[in-house]
Amino acid sequence: MKSFLSIVILMSFLSCNSDRKTTESIAETEKPNSELIGIYEFKTSEPRENHYITIDTLNGKFAGLYFGTKDGNDHGISYYGNKLENLIIKKNKIQFEIGNRNLYESTLFRIVKHKRDLENDSIIGVSKSRLKYKGEILKNKFILNCESEFQNCWKKELTFEKLTE
């Protein structure tokens, strides 16, 4: 079930963003370990602001998405969903980057059956600072450090735990 949900989310996001190169988010890695496939959650004090990473395979290589939130201070929280760019997974290490982020009023972390279901979502802003993540892969979790030139990381260190059914 969780693999199916991950695939549905991944495929809906990739099909809605098909104008971008799909290869930009896929990196050369070791042979994919199926135990890494899944959805990982970083919990915040406010559940609606949680961040998610989905990891799956595409053409025999790892691919992933990052669903996050950005604190707009006076404007409240905004949401984004981006491909994991320059994804590298080797042994117990993971690293990736997130580029420009289109910001929305509602989360993009949901099941979408038709592209038209996303057409009502309008972009409320863009965050252009690149986020760089690097960290460890432990049993059922990632411990990641985030770097950003303009301090746009939610936190410097984030622990994402794998969701189970």
Side-chain angles (χ1 to χ4, degrees):
M1 177 63 184
K2 62 185 173 190
S3 181
F4 175 73
L5 178 61
S6 179
I7 291 169
V8 170
I9 292 169
L10 179 66
M11 295 310 294
S12 66
F13 189 77
L14 291 176
S15 68
C16 293
N17 291 297
S18 59
D19 57 326
R20 299 181 189 154
K21 291 182 190 175
T22 56
T23 56
E24 71 182 285
S25 65
I26 303 168
E28 292 296 321
T29 61
E30 298 175 335
K31 183 178 177 186
N33 175 351
S34 63
E35 292 179 16
L36 289 178
I37 294 172
I39 301 171
Y40 296 80
E41 178 181 41
F42 166 71
K43 293 184 179 182
T44 66
S45 59
E46 181 63 42
R48 67 183 181 91
E49 298 173 7
N50 290 356
H51 292 219
Y52 300 90
I53 294 174
T54 64
I55 299 289
D56 210 330
T57 57
L58 185 61
N59 298 325
K61 298 178 183 174
F62 282 118
L65 299 170
Y66 189 105
F67 295 91
T69 56
K70 180 173 175 24
D71 186 358
N73 299 323
D74 297 337
H75 303 291
I77 300 297
S78 52
Y79 301 86
Y80 61 90
N82 282 64
K83 295 177 187 178
L84 303 183
E85 298 174 11
N86 305 316
L87 174 62
I88 299 173
I89 297 175
K90 289 192 178 180
K91 296 185 181 180
N92 63 341
K93 303 288 184 196
I94 181 171
Q95 69 181 51
F96 59 89
E97 298 178 9
I98 299 173
N100 290 351
R101 297 171 308 285
N102 292 333
L103 305 174
Y104 297 87
E105 287 183 2
S106 62
T107 184
L108 298 176
F109 187 69
R110 62 184 189 260
I111 296 174
V112 177
K113 294 182 181 179
H114 304 285
K115 186 176 179 177
R116 68 178 177 268
D117 294 340
L118 290 175
E119 292 173 356
N120 293 334
D121 292 340
S122 58
I123 297 171
I124 59 172
V126 177
S127 184
K128 295 184 178 182
S129 68
R130 183 162 287 279
L131 302 177
K132 296 180 180 183
Y133 292 89
K134 183 184 267 189
E136 289 183 84
I137 300 171
L138 302 173
K139 184 168 176 68
N140 295 319
K141 67 179 168 182
F142 303 143
I143 298 176
L144 301 174
N145 289 309
C146 179
E147 294 180 13
S148 168
E149 181 180 353
F150 301 106
Q151 288 73 45
N152 283 336
C153 295
W154 189 264
K155 280 181 75 173
K156 174 106 176 109
E157 184 176 284
L158 304 99
T159 299
F160 285 82
E161 296 195 24
K162 190 172 190 179
L163 297 178
T164 57
E165 291 183 55

